[in-house]
C-alpha cells in the first residue's frame, strides 16, 4: 500500500454548490470541475492508505459528538496578495467550523496537520487565475447569499487525475458506523 491524499470538508448543498462551481469555472479556474464546492475542515493531507480505516473511525467519532448548525454565506473576500484566492465569506457557522477542524486535525488523531495559514472558513470561487478574472469573481459575487443547516461533513480523496471524490459522509449525532459502511469504491464517478 502507498499513500493517498485526503481532505475533509462541508459540502455546499444544491443548488448553491453547482451554481458556485459553474461560476468558478466561468471565471477561468481550470480546477473548478474537479473540486466539489465546500468549506475545508482538513486541507489536502497525504496519509498512508492503510490508515484510512483509522481516519474514518476518528471522523465518525467527531461527527457523532457534533450537532447541526446554521451556515450562511454572504459576500466576498480575498487572501490576496498572500494567496491568489477569492472566496465567498462564511458569516454564520464559522465558529462551529473552527471547532470541527480542530477536532478533525487533532494532533493525537490519525490525520494531524499543521496549517500553513491560520484557519479561516470560506468557499473558494477563484484560485490561481489572472488578476482581472480574480477581480471579476470578487465583484460578481459581492452580493451572493446562501444559507442551509449544516448536518455533517465528508471525507474526500484526490485521484491521480486531480479530481476530488467523496469516500464517505459523516452526519452529525449519528451512531459510529463501521469504517467500510457507506464507502464508495475507488474509481467511482467523481462528484461534479
Amino acid at each position: 500500500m502507498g499513500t493517498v491524499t485526503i481532505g475533509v470538508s462541508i459540502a455546499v448543498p444544491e443548488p448553491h454548490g453547482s451554481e458556485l462551481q459553474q461560476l468558478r469555472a466561468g471565471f477561468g479556474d481550470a480546477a473548478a470541475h474537479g473540486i466539489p464546492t465546500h468549506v475545508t475542515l482538513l486541507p489536502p493531507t497525504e496519509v498512508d492508505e492503510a490508515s484510512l480505516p483509522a481516519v474514518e473511525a476518528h471522523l465518525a467519532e467527531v461527527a457523532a459528538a457534533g450537532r447541526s448548525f446554521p451556515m450562511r454565506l454572504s459576500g466576498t473576500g480575498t487572501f490576496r496578495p498572500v494567496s491568489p484566492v477569492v472566496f465567498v465569506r462564511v458569516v454564520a457557522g464559522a465558529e462551529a467550523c473552527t471547532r470541527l477542524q480542530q477536532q478533525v486535525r487533532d494532533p493525537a488523531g490519525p490525520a494531524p496537520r499543521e496549517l500553513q495559514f491560520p484557519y479561516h472558513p470560506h468557499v473558494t470561487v477563484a484560485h490561481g487565475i489572472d488578476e482581472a478574472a480574480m477581480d471579476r469573481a470578487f465583484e460578481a459575487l459581492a452580493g451572493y447569499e446562501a444559507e442551509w443547516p449544516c448536518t455533517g461533513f465528508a471525507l474526500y480523496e484526490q485521484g491521480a487525475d486531480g479530481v476530488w471524490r467523496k469516500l464517505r459522509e459523516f452526519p452529525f449525532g449519528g451512531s459510529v458506523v463501521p469504517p467500510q459502511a457507506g464507502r464508495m469504491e475507488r474509481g467511482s464517478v467523481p462528484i461534479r
Side-chain angles (χ1 to χ4, degrees):
M1 285 196 180
T3 61
V4 293
T5 300
I6 62 167
V8 177
S9 64
I10 296 169
V12 175
E14 297 305 328
H16 316 297
S18 291
E19 178 183 35
L20 288 172
Q21 191 175 48
Q22 291 303 318
L23 287 166
R24 183 173 178 172
F27 297 133
D29 191 329
H33 290 295
I35 305 171
T37 308
H38 68 282
V39 175
T40 300
L41 298 176
L42 176 71
T45 302
E46 193 172 289
V47 298
D48 288 330
E49 190 172 3
S51 71
L52 279 177
V55 169
E56 290 185 14
H58 171 68
L59 295 176
E61 288 176 13
V62 170
R67 296 291 171 256
S68 296
F69 58 91
M71 289 280 287
R72 188 163 70 88
L73 307 179
S74 181
T76 52
T78 184
F79 295 131
R80 295 184 291 175
V82 175
S83 182
V85 173
V86 170
F87 57 86
V88 175
R89 297 181 307 124
V90 174
V91 297
E95 287 181 22
C97 290
T98 299
R99 280 191 305 274
L100 273 175
Q101 65 87 28
Q102 289 169 336
Q103 294 169 331
V104 166
R105 294 186 309 102
D106 183 343
R113 170 74 194 266
E114 290 295 322
L115 298 179
Q116 184 177 1
F117 301 105
Y119 182 74
H120 181 86
H122 65 280
V123 177
T124 299
V125 291
H127 181 224
I129 57 178
D130 69 70
E131 289 297 317
M134 299 279 269
D135 291 341
R136 279 196 312 278
F138 188 87
E139 292 165 14
L141 292 169
Y144 188 82
E145 299 277 338
E147 60 185 296
W148 69 92
C150 179
T151 58
F153 55 84
L155 171 66
Y156 293 82
E157 180 181 343
Q158 186 177 37
D161 57 1
V163 174
W164 287 91
R165 293 172 177 86
K166 187 186 309 177
L167 295 180
R168 183 172 164 201
E169 292 185 3
F170 297 89
F172 293 135
S175 59
V176 176
V177 181
Q180 296 301 314
R183 208 165 164 200
M184 293 179 66
E185 294 296 317
R186 286 193 196 291
S188 61
V189 178
I191 305 294
R192 295 235 181 210

